[in-house]
Amino acid sequence: MPRNQYYSIRMRSAKSGVHISGAEGIYEKNGISNMVKKYTERALIHDKGRADDIHLVIEELKEKPKKISSLPLCTLNTRNAEGAKKASLKILTSVGIKERAIEEAFNALEVGISMRGAMLMDIEGVRLEPDLLRGVRVTRMGITKQASADLSRKLGRLNLNNDTVKEALILASKVHRYRMVLGELCISDDPYYTTGYIATRAYGYIRLPRIKKRGIPFGGRAFFITGGEVKDLIKYLQRTPVMIGSIKPCSDTVKIKDVLARKSRR
Ligand code: WAQ
Ligand code: MG
């Protein structure tokens, strides 16, 4: 038996046919049973209700996960949805995404159709994903034990050490590693989770508090992409195993002008 064999564990749950929650990670063999327990409990205890249908997949990875570092994280002090949108426009247009595309993404996320995956949009806002209802799901990402401990410590100082933030940062770090991806907008579909984020390779992961009002049960993700093979991008997002092996700085509330001035290099 080879040592350091890795497994992708994925969970999704539903209640009366409606999606409740999903989670995933990459683990070594001796971590599997613990995670199966954790993910099952998560599906059974959720703000959106107790799942009546839980799917767990445990898959041995044939490919060694690619190790990358996380995006740096910070938070803007956005006061409401309008402020969050304004900040998103400022930051995302500065990396070449057209205002029209960002408006289009906000509109699509606000109509109330929850997709399982993310929209892919070109910089003009034209949708490029082959399945417009489902979107593209990013899978096969995880974090090493050491990096996870480091991330918990860094987020803990900011009072942000929870699965929602950690998992979103892991997902975004995988996504923005791919050159074709210019930016991302994310709003949780959890009715009580009102902080969203935008991300770009240069600026990192930028949290946007109060991007939606409490009680709204939908959200979504949009990846803004530039020229290249969409097929290859989708294959990377869905299939290439990637693990976060080191953590970039996580900072407290920052001003938008500081974000724009301080581009990190990856
Ligand atoms: N791949 C692509 N899209 C996804 C995936 C995935 N693996 N998982 C979820 N989505 C899409 C889908 O349309 C969901 O409705 C939407 O994103 C939101 O998913 O730092 O919890 O899991 O405090 O509800 C942001 C954390 C939390 C901000 C985001 O997203 C912070 C969150 P959710
Ligand atoms: Mg959710």
Side-chain angles (χ1 to χ4, degrees):
M1 258 249 291
R3 287 183 63 225
N4 292 331
Q5 185 62 59
Y6 288 97
Y7 295 79
S8 161
I9 309 182
R10 309 191 284 280
M11 180 278 285
R12 69 186 157 86
S13 71
K15 182 186 179 181
S16 312
V18 179
H19 173 76
I20 293 278
S21 69
E24 75 162 273
I26 294 173
Y27 303 93
E28 287 177 47
K29 198 169 166 215
N30 62 11
I32 295 175
S33 56
N34 182 36
M35 289 319 296
V36 165
K37 184 164 178 273
K38 262 193 156 161
Y39 285 163
T40 310
E41 280 165 4
R42 244 170 97 160
L44 291 172
I45 307 161
H46 198 278
D47 280 348
K48 285 171 136 180
R50 174 193 292 243
D52 58 22
D53 193 23
I54 304 168
H55 291 253
L56 268 165
V57 175
I58 303 165
E59 172 202 68
E60 185 185 300
L61 294 173
K62 303 297 175 221
E63 207 180 316
K64 198 166 173 232
K66 185 180 152 78
K67 291 257 172 78
I68 67 168
S69 63
S70 67
L71 290 171
L73 173 147
C74 66
T75 303
L76 288 177
N77 187 17
T78 46
R79 306 275 177 194
N80 50 37
E82 196 193 337
K85 188 173 187 177
K86 241 171 143 177
S88 305
L89 281 163
K90 237 189 207 147
I91 293 167
L92 293 174
T93 53
S94 86
V95 298
I97 302 160
K98 297 277 165 62
E99 196 171 317
R100 166 168 14 129
I102 301 156
E103 293 279 358
E104 191 60 38
F106 271 97
N107 291 340
L109 297 192
E110 281 158 10
V111 291
I113 302 165
S114 277
M115 293 164 62
R116 279 198 58 220
M119 302 184 275
L120 299 182
M121 274 188 183
D122 73 7
I123 59 166
E124 312 278 347
V126 176
R127 299 273 293 269
L128 297 174
E129 71 273 20
D131 184 337
L132 295 169
L133 288 176
R134 184 180 182 275
V136 175
R137 260 192 95 75
V138 187
T139 71
R140 295 171 179 82
M141 60 274 187
I143 186 164
T144 64
K145 259 201 206 119
Q146 288 90 332
S148 180
D150 188 24
L151 181 57
S152 289
R153 199 167 44 79
K154 286 179 169 140
L155 291 177
R157 289 192 204 123
L158 310 171
N159 252 322
L160 290 176
N161 185 27
N162 61 68
D163 288 336
T164 308
V165 176
K166 275 179 119 176
E167 285 167 11
L169 180 65
I170 294 166
L171 184 150
S173 299
K174 173 177 179 181
V175 171
H176 294 275
R177 195 54 198 224
Y178 202 87
R179 285 283 151 185
M180 266 174 82
V181 181
L182 288 179
E184 173 183 6
L185 166 68
C186 170
I187 301 176
S188 174
D189 56 27
D190 188 322
Y192 302 109
Y193 204 91
T194 58
T195 301
Y197 71 86
I198 53 174
T200 81
R201 190 165 30 252
Y203 300 125
Y205 177 102
I206 303 166
R207 305 178 62 248
L208 302 170
R210 296 168 284 271
I211 198 168
K212 76 169 186 184
K213 286 212 180 87
R214 278 175 73 81
I216 296 174
F218 47 82
R221 274 188 167 88
F223 301 147
F224 301 98
I225 65 181
T226 176
E229 262 308 329
V230 175
K231 259 200 318 221
D232 293 340
L233 166 67
I234 292 176
K235 198 172 148 208
Y236 168 80
L237 295 175
Q238 294 181 333
R239 303 219 66 94
T240 305
V242 170
M243 276 184 109
I244 310 302
S246 61
I247 305 300
K248 285 281 161 81
C250 298
S251 45
D252 216 341
T253 309
V254 295
K255 297 232 157 54
I256 190 161
K257 66 173 195 322
D258 299 329
V259 172
L260 291 167
R262 152 159 64 81
K263 287 198 186 186
S264 82
R265 279 183 232 296
R266 283 228 295 168

